[in-house]
Structure formats: C-alpha cells, structure tokens
C-alpha cells in the first residue's frame, strides 16, 4: 500500500525513485519520529479519534520498532521513501490496520520539522559538551604555560613578547563565544510544530499544549505555514557550526606553522601525526590539516542550505529534503573535530628552549616597542619615538648588530633621551609584564583571567 | 611624515598603493574613530601622558575634524592609507605636534575594531527600526486581510484554503525571528577593545574601565590577542543580514508568482513597478526581482568574510582590511530593501475576485482534505480515507467533473459512509475555520495571534 | 606492518583515526589505483628495480584484487587509511614481500592525483553521454512542439508569443554549452602525473613516457611540485557540474511554475510526480523540486573545494583529502539528475488548450508590441509608438476591454495612423512569425535551427 | 519623457528608485553601448526604418556623447535608470526626435548582453596581457634562481631539496593553465546577441550578419530566449578570475610564510611592504596579505552570481541587473593583483645564506629519502628501506645527532647494506640532481623546462 496509489497511476521511474528516496539519511531521525508518533497517538486518543486500546496497540508497536532499530533489526525499504513511511509501514505489519489511523490530521510536512527539532536539541547538547571539554583543556594548558614566553605575531611577523597562556586564552575566548551562540539558538529550536497539519493547521482540533508537554518543548510555533516552511533554525545551526570550525581552522593554522621545523615552537604527540609513504623522516601534522580541510565541507554545507532557501516560495517544497544530508554531516564532523582538537591541546607541548632560541634570533627587534615606550616615558611624543626606533632598527639591520649590542653613544645620537638604563628593556619577562592591563599579557593579568574562567567553567 | 619612513626606505609601488588604501571605504568610520580618539585623549590625560591643556587641544582639533566631515569639507588623502592616519594627519595640521602624542600606546589594530563595533551598534539600531516598521506593516495588512480566502500552496500546488492573513503572518514570524537574532548579537558587539594595543595589551596602563564608560560599552574584551584577531561579530552580523534577505527573497518569490497574469492574486502599486523599453503593455515587478537579486550579493559577502577568516593565523593580518567593504554594502542594502519591502506590503492589494475565480477553477480539489476529514469523522482510518479521496479525485479528473458535481450515488460507490451532507464541505469559509488550533488558519485563531502581536510590537 | 611504525611510536588516537581514514570514500578509486600500479610495476621492471618474474607476480596480485573488488569480496580495512595502502596491504598478503617493492620511488601524493585524473576522464565520458541524451530529447520534443504557441515571459510577466519549441531550444543551447565546456577541460585532465614522486620528481629515473602510453594519457605534467599540489582540474570540473545544475535548476523552476494549476501549461507524467501524505488530491512535481534542491548541494561542494584551495601553501597538504567526497557526490548526482530531467522532457506534454485559454485571458496585451510595430511600419518613431501603446493598454485596463475589442474610432484617437487592418495583428501565428530573424521564434527560423541541431548532434 | 509614463501612472518611490538605478555602475559600459547603437543605426538604415540622413545624425550624436564621456563631461542622470536610457535621453537632447527611432525593434534585454560581451572581450585581453607579464617574470626569476637550493614542503614540513626555480615554475604552470582557460572562454563570449529583441527575436527583420561584422563578432547567438536569459559566460568568466586568485592566494601564502623571521627564505622589497603604527620594527608583507584577502571578494562574487542564476526562471528577470557590480569589481582587482604579484616576483630576493642555514638546521632529515634510495639501489624492497630509515631518524632524534653524524657502525646495525659511501648522500646538489626525470627538480630538467617555456611565451 503506497500513498500514491489512490491518486497516481504509475509507479516512480527508477532514476526518480533514487532521487526521491531519503531513507538513506533520514533513518537517523527514527527515534525522534517514533517519539513524535507516540505523543501524537496519545493526543489522538484525547481528541477521540482512537480508543484507549488502539492507542496502546499503536504505542506498543512503535516501541517495538524503536527496539528493532536499536538492535539493528529494522530494515528500511527504499521504496517507502522516507523515515515516516518506513515506520508507518512497519507499524502496519506489527499492529494491523489501526496503524492507518495514526496519520489522521497529520502531515509529513510537520513531522519532519518535529523530527529535525528534536534531533537538533540533542545534537546541541552533545556539541556543548564537547566544546566544554575543549574549553577545559585550553584552560588547563593555559594554566600550565604561564611562564613560557613566546613571540606574538601580527602579519605573521614577530610583534611583541607574550606569555604562551595568552595565546591559548585567545583561542578560549573564541570557542567560548560559540558556546554562547548555542545558548542563543536554543529558544528558537524549542518550538513545537505538531498541529500545523500540511500547511493550514490541524483540522481535528489536536491539543497542541498537550503535545508540547509530552515532547518537552518550551513553546508552540505560532503559524502553521511558517512552521512547515521555515528552516532558519537549521541555517542558524549550521552557521554556528561554521563559526566553530572557523576557530578550529585558525588554531590549526597556527599550530601547523608552529610545528614546522623553522618555527619549532610546539611538539605534537605521535598519536596525532602521521608519516609519509615515501619520506620516512616525516612527522606530519595531519590531524590539524584534516581539521582545517574539513572546515571547508562545513562551510560548503552552510552555503548549500542558504542557496536552497533563497527565493524558495512558501510553504513546503520538496527541495527541503536536501536540508538534512549536509546538516547531519556537519554535526558529525564538528563533534569529531572538537574532540581531536581537544586531544591536540591536551597532548602538545611547547618547545621552550627552541622558542628562547627564536627570541634570541630576533636581534631584539621584538623589544622595539619597549624602546619606544622608554622614550615616551621620558616625554617624547609617541609618533616621534616610533620614527626614531624605526631608524634604530634600520641602523641595526645595516650594521648587523642586535639592538642590545648598539652602544649607548650610538643610541644617544638618535635621541638625547637615551641613557644607560635603556639596556634594561631587553628583558623578556619585564617586556611581557609591561602589558599590565585587564586582558593584557602581563602574568598577573593572565592569572586574573584564569580565575575568572575557573568560575565561568562552573556555570556552563 | 609617514609612519613607514623611519623603517622602510622606499615609498609604495603605485599598484600596491591602490591595493593598500582603504580610505575609500573606511571614511564612513570617521565619526566612530573620532569618538574613540576623544575618549582615548581623556584616558591619556588620566594616565599622565598628556596634560589637560594638550588634551583639550586634541579634543578641540578632533571636534573640528568631525565638523569638517559633516560639512563635506574633509578631503581624505589616499596616500594616508586609512581613516586613522587621515584623521591623525589632519589633526597634526590643526593642532601641531601634540597630535603626535595621541597614538601613544595605541595601535590601529585595536582602533579599527573599536570603530567597527561602534559602527555596528549604530547599524543594528537602524536595522531593528526598519524591521519593526516592516513588522507593523505586515501586522496591519494581515489585520485588513482576515476575510480574504485564498489557496495555500505546497510544492507550488494548491493545497488548502487559508485566510490571506495567515500567509502574511507567516512572513511576520520569520522577520520577527531575525529581529530577535539582532538582540542576541548585541552583547557580543558591546565589548570594548581599547587597551589591547597592537596585540599584547596596552603598555601604558590605560584605564579601560574609564574608556568603557566614556564610549558607552557594556563589557571589556578579555584578551588582547582575541580583541585584535576576532571578527566573528562581523561574520555573525552578516549572517543575520543574510537571514533577513532570505526571508525577503522568499516573500519576493511569492509575490512575483502571485502577480503573474496567470495567478493574478495581487496588484502591485505603480510606484513599485516598471515597464519595458520594448513591450509597452508590461507592468513588471522589478522591485521584487531586485530584492531577490540583491539577496545574492549579501550571501556572497557573507561567504567572502567566512572564507577570509578560514585558517587565518592569529593575530591581526592585513587580510582583515577586506572585512569592511562587503559589510558596509550589505548593511546599506538591507536598510534599503527592508524599506522597499515595507512599501510593497503597504501598497499592494489582494485581487479578491480573481482569487475567487481561481478557487472555483480548482475543480474543488482544494476541498479534498475536507472530504477525507468527513470520512474520518465517520470512523474511517485516515490512510484509507486518503486512498479513497485520491480515487475520487482521479475519477473527477477522468470524468471532467468538479468534486461538488459528483453525484451522491457515485460518492456512495467509493464509500457507504458518504451521505448528502457531504456537499456542505464545499464551503470556503467553513474549510478555513476547520483548522481551529493555535497557529492554524481559522479566523478566530488568526485574531488570537493578531492580539498577541499587538502586544509583541509594543515591546520591541 | 604500518608505514608509521618506523618513525612514530604511538598508534593513532581513535578520533583522529576516524578523521584520518579516507577508505570509506576513496574505495571507488580502486580500479584506477590498480591500473596505475600495474603500469608502474611494468615501469619498475624497465628501470631494473624488479625482475620480470616479480613484475608478473605483482601484476597477477593486482588483477586478483581487481576481481575481488568487482565481486564484492574485497574488504577494506579502515586502519589502512586509504585506497593505496589497502591495496598494498592486500597485495602483500597475496604475493608476499615482493609487494613491498612496488612503492619504490613512488608517493601517495602522485598516486592520488593519477587516480583522480583517471576517474575524472571516465566520469567525463559518462556525463557527456547523459548530456547528449538530454540534448536529443530536447531536440525531439522541440521538433514535436513547433506549432504550439505559448506566451514567453520576461519578469515572469507575459511578454510575446512564441512557439513552444523556441523555449525548448533555449534550454538546448545552455546544455550544449556545458557539453562544450567538458570538451575544453579534457586536455587539462589528460596530463600524466606519475614520476613526480612526493614532490621533487622520481629519483629512480622512471620512464614517464612509457607510463603515459600505458595509461593512455595525452601529455605529461611538466612540474612535479605542481603535479602533486594542483587540484584546479577538480575545481574546474566541479564548476562545470555547477553550470549544468544551474541550467537544470532553471528548467525545473520553469516547469514547476508551468505545472501549477494557475498556469497549467504542462502535464507531468505520473511516474515523475508524487502525492501528499495528507492531501489526497495533490500531484506534486517532486522530481523537479528535487533537482532544483540538489543543485544547491553541487554549488556547496564547489565552494568547499574553492575554500579548501584558497591560500593553501604548496605543495601537498593533507587538507587535499577533502577534495574527493564532494566531487564524487556531485558527479553521482549530476548523472542521476540529467537522467531524470531527460525523463521529464520525454514524458511531459504541453496542455495546448489550456495555453490557448491563457492567451485569450491576456486581454490581447501580449500583442502590444505587434501594435507598436504596426505604428512604426507606418512611420512613427518607436519611442512614440511605445508611449501610445502604453496609453492604449491603460485605456483598455480602465475600460475592461480587450485590445481587440477597442473600436477603430477609439484607436484613431490615440493616433491617426491606425486603420481597420489593425485587427489583423491579433493573430497568434502571425505574431510568432513576425520574429523572422536567425535565432527568432518564427516557425521557419525554428526549422532552420532544428536542421542545424540535427547535424550538431551527429558530431558530439 | 520616461518610458514608464505611457503605461504607469505614478513615479517610482524613492527607495525603489535607489534600488532600481544601475547607472552608478553600468556607466562603464557606455562605450560599448554606443558602439552597439552606431552599428544598430546602420542596420536600421539598411532595413529602411531610418533614412541615411537620420542615420548620420544619430551616429553623429552618439559620437558626440562618446567624446563627452571621454572628456568627463557626460553627467548621467540617476532618474534615467541605466546606461541605455541615459544615452538615449542625451541623444534626444543632441539630435532631436530622430533619436526616438533608434530603439525601434530593439530591447534593453539584448542591449545589455551585447554591452557585457563587448566589455568582457576587452577585459579578457587586458587580463591575458597582465598574466603574460606575470608569466614572464616568473620565468625570468626562475632562470636566475636555478642554483639556489631550498627545502620543498609537504604538510608544511621539510620534504626534499629542490632548486628554487622548481617552485617558481610550479607557480608558472598554474598561472599558465588559467591563461589557457581564458582562451577557451573566448568562443563563448564571441556570440552576437543583437536581433534577439526583448525575447522572441527582432520583428523588423534586422540584418544580424551585418551587425556581427560591424561589431567584430565571430558567430551569432542561435536562440533569442537564450540570448537574453543566459549569463553563463559571466559565471564562467568569474570562475576563471577565481581560479587565478586561488593561485595568487597560494603563492601569497607561501611568500608570507617564507618571509617570516623564522623561515627568512625571501626578502620582500621595501616598496611592497609596510610597517606598524605601533611597532616600529615591523616590516609587514601587506601586499601579499591583501592579495590573499582580496581573493575572498572574488570568490564571494562568484558565489553571488551562481546563487543569482540558480532556479531563475526564463527569460530575462530584473535580478540580472545584479550580474554587473561583482563582475566589474572582480575584474578590476584581478588586474591590480596580478600586477602587484608581478612586482613582488620581480622585486623579491632569495636569502640564500639563510636558506643554507635552515638546511643545516634540518639535522639532515631532508636527506632521508636519499638514504632510502641508497638502500633500494642495494636491493632492499622500498617499504623495508622506508621502515629502516624511519627508525634511523627516530634514533637520531633520541640521540640528538644529525644523520650525517651517525657512525657507520651504527648505520650497519640498522642494515648490513650500509657502507661508508652512505655519507655521500648528504650533498644538496647531488640530492637535487637525483630527481632526474621530465618535470623533476634536477637542474638539467629545469633547464629543459625553461627552454620549453621560452617557446611557450612566444606563442601566447
């Protein structure tokens, strides 16, 4: 028995059947579809469409199917198109014609939206949990790395010295914001669509408040056309996944660069690297590259769904079937990649001696702003100090001297404000601690933030 | 005097200068840049870098520049690269070398983020205001259209009868959600970045809390690297613009279809249509098409900024200059297009007589679910009723009869449950009112929602 | 035995192993990988690395694996990461340690590119063949539809009358251009990369010309770094798939609109439509909607790969693993969707009587340019004629008269150039045949093009 | 006089007028629009619509407008919407009512396509020319860099030694392919659309072959609906721009990394770098970052136009106005950025001594495949050799010895095949020349390719 048989005289063409069938991917919605149907059966009883006995029989059947799915015994039939019809047809086999009453006043248009919302509410929990673990790892690693001093970079050029914690805490902040975005979307996911019918609203006076409570939602959708047409909660969800992946990709990029031989700032654990099939010396940061690469899939999926919705007329159109494969794929990968990133954060170590070497190799240019600050403290306008230090750097370059090797007489030629104490600026710890402002890299400021984060992590 | 002169020996190449200069678009940040500099001058005084007199002189100069900009007398110099340097150089002309102290301990890396945040806080207000106007127009038109009965569509095929208000209220909901998203992002915009320095934090102990209050922010950024690297508030902003445009594009699509001669459901006001240069009879819905077309620009801009940030290493990189042109363009067009859409909503009218004609032309198929409901109310399982009505429709098609023209004897052949009162289902008003559930199209339910919205609009 | 064991001390973490393994999708490259290895074995023998006997043993083993794959007996092991290692490890089982020589001087970096190129050369043939079938169907349907006269649309408003063939031939042209694009890309696919090694070129003096001939390529890649880094042939391929899908999506959009009840221009075959689970009267154009929806997946995949390559440093990076899933998916769907579209073209019919009804319903506005032409032929400047006809249309609208119902005296008030013969313009066939120019809709011009196409189809 | 006045009773609303006007950007099509109109005037005379005198007057007027534009005296009026109407209205002022005849049988739908095609044919020439210059610079720099030996990278880890030329020639190949793609698209640009009318074809029997010759096209468009609906030549054009920018972005990424202090492989010329407003020591690779950043704009524009065309119904829709701003912007930037990249290639220098230092710092791991090759030459299967060298590298790591410092006795423990001549492998030049295969990095092979390129450059 197929729903098309009453109205249409021919079966689907083979190619179209292949295009038409969604059971290959929407099977993962089974448990939500069943939960929705159990609640709906109860609601049908309340409105008198089915008897108590019929309700129990239907619920029994649905619970059996749920078990079959959990045990891997449920074999979906591609001819039954989608998850809804597959479950309905199996229910028919299990409980007989009473199954045919379950769809009364209900449309797949609302069912699929219900399933997607329930699925996303679950997915959101899992992603939040993985993000929290990553945040913890960043916090712990930052706590351990307070005293490691490394260059920061702008334009990928050495800029100023920072505590290594400071960089990890920058990553923390970006991840934390994405965690907050997930909180913001929750209210938009938590609207119960059942009772919307195909488009105009239920015609059997189903009790929507009852369904809301049964299914644990917070509010009701307020317009049945909107309920079946709207996918903006999916788009927004995929946007947040993209935002997460952008941060992961940026951390990956940093770490790929830091683990080159030329930088050598960090050492990745063996279990997160690979070697080459041809070059036996290689220790490649594949885990980072794969996260960086995978981010593009998530971006592509976001743009698919955006393009899908662009100029799609109201209300439900079959194009919307295509909203799921990309969503599922993106969620799967975000969970895996947050996890791999957490393992990377847990497992990598800073190569402190190599970092010190690099700082030494910087010819002290990394202290240039410290020198400018020195002049400003002695009353020179900043822009003038900036110009003078620029010239000192140029001089150092031509004369192949480190800044700390330039003699005091030479310094004085650039400005009479220079005095012997200038050489005190070439102290990494002092340089770091100069940035003594809320959110700055001075160690006491990092401790201040670490304390805040300790509280923050308790509340998420 | 150029900041490069100290360090670099040659001026920019001509092609690179063209690529390098951003003043062409970041000029619109001038007022925010000046506000930031005024607050910064005050903070410099507090920390003792400049005297009260110097502060006043600087502030005076900055206010003069603000006036010059407002009066169109400020002529930016492309050689001065960006808005920050243009203002600094003009200040130098106006107040002399004290201007050179203003940049003390401050970096363009933090300045640009400040400017962008202040700009977006303003832009957000304007967009919210335009959205509110559109919401009001939808509400008012929905209030006026309660009794117009029209087909709803799924798969662009006639589905069930609805009140025209119901469709307008579906649009309302989507727009309303975007309005809510703007509220969610506000807290992420409202973080004050000054004091982050170039990347490691201010080295002159600037008072960030003071700056926060001066500039009206809610909280401080918590990590200086993050503060200068992060653009996720821009991406999220552009995402919301995209979300708004997706809704606008979907309404446009509906209205383009509804204003074809074949549908003829709506009449667009002359002032929002054009004619053809060759075909004098044409009245084309260009305003709708242009909104639909413009949506793709906003989507493209979102994709640009996402691709820009993907795998960009920390912290500031010059690529970030490219974050502005697309953002400005998208904001400009969202303001215009919301406005044009509001004019369309205000100005269009439903062609009720034509809609009635189309409903008549539907051969009563649009009442098919009403017939199925009829059978279900008489005890038939829904799926069976669905099959039978499918066959009745097929029969009607072959025999070229409207459903209401099929004789009672013929109906009875399909099911003995049919009786004479079956003909009562062919009543549009009754059909609409059948969907009597919260969020459904029954007129009393629409009134229920209209009342809710009246309150809702008071609070946004 | 794993290639990592020599160099790295720990096995992969579980999450990373999942992210790392590509065998789930690159299994479909098996046959190309084997072909490449057979050729490579022969080349190894030529260069003296292996003996004739060893070569035969290896080739034998590889052919066995090929058979195992064809018979579904090959069970890939996810721990062996990718297709290359899976085949190598199976070969080791089958032929013993001689298998270990096969990889001499060869890298997976070049192997994967070889496999992808061979795969795409095959895929291109299949797509060309499907496109050709679609072109034929369009040609045949156009041949059958010459005398059906329908409105053309600009801005989705009725514009001028055309032969239905003319629209089908417009679709033909777009598809034909994509076919031509596939020809253009062939030369860029047909470059043989083996011998590039990991990045610097083979170090064992492999005979690349020999490999080229064995594998049927046209030319050699000219730079080993480029050979392993470059994926622009994949991006270009996906671009052409996108271009194909854009055309399919536009045809789908037209047909979805034309199959609404309000237009009613075409009737879709039952086997390519579905009905609703709730609304038994529905006959929904799901095949068209699914093609339209699927186009967004292909677009998303294109943007994934573009974003992937953006700013990826030379040479091979592991991100490139991500180049395959989207490519395979897009190729699979382009083949299915071209096929479904062909079935739609073969199976749909024009509803000529309904179209005639709509033309009648146009109040003759569709003849407006014919009236302007009439005036121009009598010497009026076109712009003036355009204005006058605009006014006539306005008059007709206010007076609710068809243009052909306006009396000659009334016409004369608009211009003395009007005469009784004006009523001759209201003839659909004449109106169509007025467009008598190469590429125009006049029937003889359509025949001219149909003749050209008959030849064209012989040569592709 | 506005074309809308005849048909529509009200002027445009202000917001819509702003959205509607395209003259702000399509002004750049003026010269092509005028060329098209001159040809069309001649064609109108041939078909007897205008007299010879009228034709001359029109052409005279158009040439005057062309001069006004060249001299900056042409002031477009936004109320006249677009370039076509602006020129027509100015012509009316200049030559009187005969101007009103010029539009006879012509539509803006075909005009805009003509203008775009002519514009693109010109743009293509300019881009080809810039690309050729860049190719030449790469060739010359490669010729100069043959003897500089540097590490190549896979996974951004040191892989094998190459001649620096080899990398430059890899860039060359990618750029060369894009140059070839431009040749492929030319035939699709070179189709003459005039005579297509608004959609159905010219109704005044205009001589299309004559127009083709006048305007220098190669072939005629073959279907008038396709001619006004099709924008695939624009999409394809923007795709090629994207492809170019992907290559530029990858070169930029390499060079940004190579110009870090940690790598230090290249030195950028002062005129293509900037310094920091806060950090006076900085010499930032802004030119490279800006190219990398700008690539995302071009990608976004491609995505816009693709999304625009997706599911757009035939034939012309006003959305198509949006095809131009992104296209113009992308073309402008591709020209600038190719040029800046050429200056970078011309101006940068390799820091040979620093590269040598880095190679030394590699602990000889970069010779690992040379060692494996050594074992293979002595009869060991490759995979075994790979494992053994992996272990040797591990041993070297634990014992903090360079590979060349490991004693022969130690080597022999790993394999008896090792002998004293193993130390000969640690020779950079020998290592490079080992890759002696067509397209490999051996110096003689690079010379072979350089010779080929010399010829190649003569023919493009």
């Amino acid at each position: 028995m197929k729903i098309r048989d009453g109205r249409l005289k021919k079966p689907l063409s083979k190619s179209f059947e292949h295009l038409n069938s969604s059971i290959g991917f929407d099977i993962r919605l089974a448990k939500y579809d069943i939960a929705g149907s159990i609640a709906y059966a109860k609601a049908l009883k309340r409105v008198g469409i089915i008897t108590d006995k019929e309700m129990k029989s239907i619920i029994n059947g649905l619970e059996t199917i749920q078990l079959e799915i959990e045990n891997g015994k449920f074999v979906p039939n591609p001819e039954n198109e989608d998850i809804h019809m597959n479950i309905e047809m199996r229910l028919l086999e299990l409980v007989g014609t009473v199954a045919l009453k379950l769809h009364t006043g209900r449309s797949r248009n609302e069912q699929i939206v219900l399933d997607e919302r329930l699925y996303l509410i679950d997915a959101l929990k899992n992603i939040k949990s993985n993000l929290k673990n990553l945040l913890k790892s960043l916090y712990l690693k930052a706590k351990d790395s307070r005293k490691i001093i490394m260059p920061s970079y702008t334009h990928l050029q050495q800029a100023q010295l920072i505590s290594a914690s400071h960089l990890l805490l920058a990553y923390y902040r970006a991840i934390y914001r994405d965690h907050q975005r997930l909180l913001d979307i929750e209210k938009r996911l938590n609207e119960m669509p059942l009772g919307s019918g195909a488009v105009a609203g239920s015609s059997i006076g189903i009790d929507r408040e009852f369904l809301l409570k049964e299914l644990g939602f917070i509010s009701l959708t307020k317009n049945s056309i909107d309920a079946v047409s709207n996918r903006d909660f999916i788009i927004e969800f995929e946007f947040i996944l993209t935002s997460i992946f952008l941060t992961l990709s940026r951390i990956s990029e940093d770490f790929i660069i830091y683990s080159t031989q030329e930088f050598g700032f960090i050492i990745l654990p063996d279990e997160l690297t690979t070697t080459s099939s041809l070059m036996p010396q290689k220790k490649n940061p594949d885990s980072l590259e794969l996260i960086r690469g995978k981010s593009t899939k998530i971006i592509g999926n976001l743009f698919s769904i955006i393009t899908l919705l662009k100029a799609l007329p109201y209300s439900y159109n079959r194009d919307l079937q295509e909203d799921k494969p990309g969503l599922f794929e993106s969620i799967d990968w975000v969970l895996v990649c947050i996890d791999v990133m957490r393992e990377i954060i847990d497992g990598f170590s800073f190569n402190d001696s190599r970092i010190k070497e690099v700082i030494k190799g910087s010819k002290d240019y990394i202290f240039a702003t410290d020198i400018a600050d020195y002049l400003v403290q002695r009353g020179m306008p900043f822009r003038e100090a900036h110009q003078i230090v620029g010239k000192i750097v140029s001089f150092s370059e031509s004369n192949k001297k480190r800044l700390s090797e330039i003699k005091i007489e030479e310094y004085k030629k650039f400005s009479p404000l220079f005095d012997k104490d200038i050489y005190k600026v070439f102290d990494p710890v002092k340089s770091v601690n100069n940035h003594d402002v809320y959110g700055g890299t001075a160690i006491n400021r990092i401790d201040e933030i670490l304390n805040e984060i300790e509280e923050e992590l308790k509340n998420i």
Side-chain angles (χ1 to χ4, degrees), chain A residues 1 25 32 62 69 81 116 118 136 141 155 166 185 193 195 198 209 224 260 287 305 315 330 337 340 351 369 420 455:
Chain A
M1 176 186 178
F25 51 83
Y32 308 107
L62 288 166
I69 289 168
E81 281 191 27
E116 291 181 326
L118 289 171
K136 273 187 200 161
K141 195 65 127 195
H155 308 257
H166 203 49
I185 201 186
E209 281 291 343
S224 60
T260 56
S287 50
I305 182 78
S315 64
S330 292
C337 290
V340 173
N351 188 345
T369 37
K420 274 191 222 166
E455 287 310 300

Side-chain angles (χ1 to χ4, degrees), chain A residues 20-38:
Chain A
N20 193 49
S21 178
S22 62
I23 186 65
F25 51 83
D26 59 20
I27 182 72
R28 81 158 70 188
L29 297 176
K31 111 185 204 201
Y32 308 107
D33 204 66
I34 289 170
S37 284
I38 288 173

Side-chain angles (χ1 to χ4, degrees), chain A residues 392-404:
Chain A
I392 297 172
V393 169
S394 256
F395 172 83
S396 132
E397 219 170 33
S398 318
N399 292 271
K400 310 212 172 201
K401 286 188 178 184
R402 307 172 62 82
L403 294 183
S404 59

Side-chain angles (χ1 to χ4, degrees), chain A residues 135 138-139 166-181 247 251 438-439 448-450 452-454 456-457:
Chain A
L135 287 170
L138 283 163
Y139 164 73
H166 203 49
L167 181 60
L168 296 168
L169 292 176
Y171 301 157
Y172 176 97
R173 290 259 68 85
I175 299 288
Y176 184 77
R177 278 190 296 275
D178 286 323
H179 188 277
Q180 296 294 302
R181 285 185 183 98
T247 304
I251 302 174
Y438 182 79
E448 181 180 16
I449 296 290
L450 283 169
E452 281 188 28
I453 287 177
E454 208 177 335
E456 208 166 62
L457 285 173

